[in-house]
Amino acid sequence: MLTPSAVANAKPQAKPCKLRDERGLYLLVQPTGARLFRMDYRRPGTGKRNTLALGVFPDVSLKQARERRDTARKLLADGIDPASKRQAERSADAESFEAIAREWHGKHSAKWTESYATNLLRRLEVNVFPYIGNRPIAGLLAPDILAVLRRIEARGVIETAHRVHQYIALVFRYAVATGRATADPTPALRGAIPTANKVHFASIKEPAKVGQLLRDLDAYAGHPVTRAALQLAPLVFTRPGELRHAEWQEIDLDKAEWRIPAHKMKMKAPHIVPLSTHVVAILRELEPLTGRGQYVFPSLHSSRRCMSENTVNVALRRMGYDGQTMTGHGFRSMASTLLNEQGWNRDAIERQLAHAERDAVRAAYNYAEHLPERRRMMQAWSDYLDGLRIGADVVPIRKGA
C-alpha cells in the first residue's frame, strides 16, 4: 500500500515500474521521472482489461487519486465504463454552445475591428455562456434561447437582446455548417422580443447653434491633436472610430483625398473622403506634430496606438455639451440633415456617409460612386460651415453650387 512519502520519493528505473496501492490503483513511474496514477479494471459487458488515467503527481495527490478510483469503482458497480463516460463528457464539452461560439469567434474576429470583436465576445460571456454555455449545442431548442433573451429583456436593454439574438444565430449557422448541429432554432424567435426604440445620437442641427459649436471647437484649449480632431469631425462625415484610426499613409494632401481601406469600415468596403481646402489646411498644420508617426491622431500616451474612443466626447463634455446635446457621432447626423435640407443628391450624401449598401459586392466596387459631386458637396459644406462660424447670415448652399 502506498504512502504520500513513498509517492513523493519514488525513483525512476530503466523501465517503467508499478508501485501498487489497493483496489486497482497504482503509481506508474516512468524512466523520465514522471509519476502517473493509474487504475486497472475490466470493462462491463466485455470483461476486457482496460486502464484508467487518474492524474499526474504532484498535480494530483495520493488522496485525490484514491477518491477518483473510488468514484470509478462506483460506476463499474452500476455497469458503467468510467473511461467511456469520461470520453463522452469530453466530447459533449467540445460540442457545447460555448466551445463552438468561441471557435466561431476565433475564426471570424480577424476581419472585425478589435473593439467590435471584444465587445461581441463580452456580450456572450455575460449574457449567454452562464446559462447555456455548457450545454451541447445540438440539444438546444428555441425555448432555451428565448429564456436567455428574456433575461436580457428584463434588464431593459432591448437593443442588447436583439444583438445577442443575432450572435446566437450566427453561432448556430456555423454549428450547422460544421456538422455539430442539424438545425438553427433562432428564426422561430422572430418577434418574440419587442422592437427596440431607435436611439439617435445627440446632434445639433440648428444653423445658429452649429455656428456656436464651431466657435467652441476652435477655442478648445486642450491638446492640439484633440483640437484638430474636433475641428475635422464636422467636415469629413466619418464615424468617430474611422476618424481616430486615420493613418497618414491613407491621406494624399496634394490630391486632397483620404482613402480608407475596407477593413477599417463598418461595411467592409473601401471609402473615399474628398478633403476640402479647410480640411487640408487643418491637416497641414497637424502634420509637424504627428506626421512622422503612423496615426494622424495618436494616443496621448503612446504613438503606437490611436486616440482613445472617448477623447472627442470627453472634450465635448468639457466644453459644456452633454450626451443629450452633442456627441462625436452626431456630426454625421448634422451634415446629413442640413445637406438634405439644402437639396443635395441624397445618394451622394448617403455614399459619403458610407451607409449600408444592400449588396456587399456593389458596395466594394462602387465606393467611388458620385465622387465628383461629393467633392463639390464637401467643399461647399466646408464653406457653409465657415459662414456659420463667423455668424454670417448664410444663404444655404445648393446642389451643384
Side-chain angles (χ1 to χ4, degrees), residues 150-209:
R150 290 287 190 216
R151 287 188 180 93
I152 305 172
E153 178 191 356
R155 304 203 314 262
V157 282
I158 306 300
E159 179 63 27
T160 299
H162 284 284
R163 287 185 181 274
V164 169
H165 184 194
Q166 293 170 0
Y167 303 156
I168 293 174
L170 290 170
V171 173
F172 265 99
R173 286 168 57 184
Y174 177 75
V176 171
T178 55
R180 268 80 66 84
T182 57
D184 172 11
T186 58
L189 300 178
R190 289 174 185 159
I193 301 296
T195 303
N197 294 325
K198 189 170 182 62
V199 178
H200 295 279
F201 292 101
S203 177
I204 295 173
K205 302 182 180 72
E206 299 84 352
K209 292 182 179 179

Side-chain angles (χ1 to χ4, degrees), residues 239 266-267 332 350-351 353-359 363:
R239 297 176 179 86
K266 180 179 180 180
M267 303 312 298
R332 288 164 55 81
E350 293 297 296
R351 176 61 63 188
L353 290 165
H355 276 160
E357 171 66 65
R358 291 181 181 274
D359 184 338

Side-chain angles (χ1 to χ4, degrees), residues 41 76 85 88 96 115 138 194 230-231 251 265 324 338 377 382:
Y41 70 98
L76 288 167
K85 182 175 184 296
S96 68
S115 61
L230 289 166
Q231 290 176 314
I251 296 172
M265 297 300 298
Q324 285 68 53
L338 293 176
M377 179 179 71
S382 288

